[in-house]
Amino acid sequence: MSPLPRPRSQAAGPTSRDAVHHPVFARFYARQSVAAEPLLAGHRKELLAGLSGRVIEVGAGNGLNFAHYPGTVSEVVAIEPERLLRKLARSAALRAEVPVDVVPGAAEALPVKSEAFDAAVASLVLCSVRDVPRALGELRRVLRPGGELRFFEHGRAPGTLMAATQRVLDRTVWPPLFGGCHVARDTLGALREAGFELGAYRRVLVPAKGPRLPTSYCVIGTARLPGAP
């Protein structure tokens, strides 16, 4: 049984429980993410391939992952704190080939029961959560024993000059302009510190060709709870 009743996912209108309120950025992101989808769709398919059972996705945005969940997934509970993006995600959920419930909530306090999911998905979201260790702790809490975390995140560049530029941007203009996004976070280091065991992963550049942007340095892979088979 789902820990979140379906009527919750279909509630409309403003709510005082919104954990994030970035209306201007949300409108920008809704347009920009669709325009960038030709660059990202292949990575989304790779990220979600082979998943099965119940899945929780944190920071679902406007729901661009939903079209790529395989039919072996029985249900997706998609958490999105921003009101406008949540509305767009609900529309995307109606077109998905697997059941998707879109609900309000923050990654640092997931509104679901413990050990309720076979897998979790973090896709271009850890850059903007306010408390990364707490968010990863919540993902550990809601995963069943043996559960898997799939991640696709941008973060710290390997080169000294770009990494220094990213740190300056994080301390100044980038988070206020881009909905709390940080470009210099270390996804793999954060996962290790949170107690996850890293599985296979690879670093990718987005876009693969052309000038390097502060957000170009991505990593895609899997992690599991300690002791998982």
Side-chain angles (χ1 to χ4, degrees):
M1 179 180 294
S2 168
L4 292 168
R6 283 190 179 274
R8 243 183 112 179
S9 71
Q10 298 178 9
T15 171
S16 60
R17 295 176 297 169
D18 286 341
V20 172
H21 186 59
H22 296 301
V24 175
F25 172 74
R27 288 180 174 84
F28 164 79
Y29 178 83
R31 293 191 297 269
Q32 186 274 338
S33 60
V34 172
E37 191 59 10
L39 300 174
L40 295 174
H43 298 309
R44 296 185 194 278
K45 291 178 183 177
E46 176 185 352
L47 174 71
L48 304 176
L51 286 177
S52 62
R54 298 192 71 237
V55 178
I56 184 167
E57 180 177 340
V58 293
N62 48 347
L64 292 179
N65 277 337
F66 298 166
H68 302 293
Y69 278 100
T72 47
V73 169
S74 59
E75 181 187 21
V76 178
V77 175
I79 310 296
E80 175 49 49
E82 216 294 323
R83 188 184 308 163
L84 173 63
L85 295 178
R86 193 164 61 242
K87 180 180 178 180
L88 296 173
R90 286 182 178 129
S91 295
L94 296 176
R95 302 188 297 271
E97 295 184 2
V98 300
V100 180
D101 283 341
V102 180
V103 298
E108 298 91 338
L110 296 173
V112 294
K113 296 177 180 179
S114 299
E115 298 187 359
F117 295 91
D118 302 294
V121 173
S123 175
L124 303 176
V125 64
L126 295 179
C127 62
S128 60
V129 300
R130 293 174 179 144
D131 187 333
V132 175
R134 185 174 176 184
L136 292 176
E138 277 290 273
L139 290 175
R140 288 194 60 179
R141 177 182 69 81
V142 304
L143 280 172
R144 290 172 178 153
E148 181 182 38
L149 171 63
R150 301 284 185 95
F151 58 89
F152 173 44
E153 299 288 341
H154 70 81
R156 186 182 304 169
T160 303
L161 180 59
M162 179 58 84
T165 301
Q166 289 175 320
R167 289 193 294 271
V168 171
L169 290 172
D170 277 358
R171 291 195 299 266
T172 55
V173 299
W174 202 272
L177 287 176
F178 294 101
C181 173
H182 296 74
V183 291
R185 287 182 172 173
D186 177 10
T187 299
L188 299 181
L191 289 168
R192 292 188 185 101
E193 290 177 8
F196 281 96
E197 294 181 347
L198 292 176
Y201 66 87
R202 67 186 185 95
R203 299 184 186 275
V204 296
L205 290 169
V206 180
K209 299 179 180 179
R212 299 292 175 250
L213 306 173
T215 55
S216 289
Y217 304 89
C218 300
V219 62
I220 185 169
T222 64
R224 289 187 178 274
L225 301 182

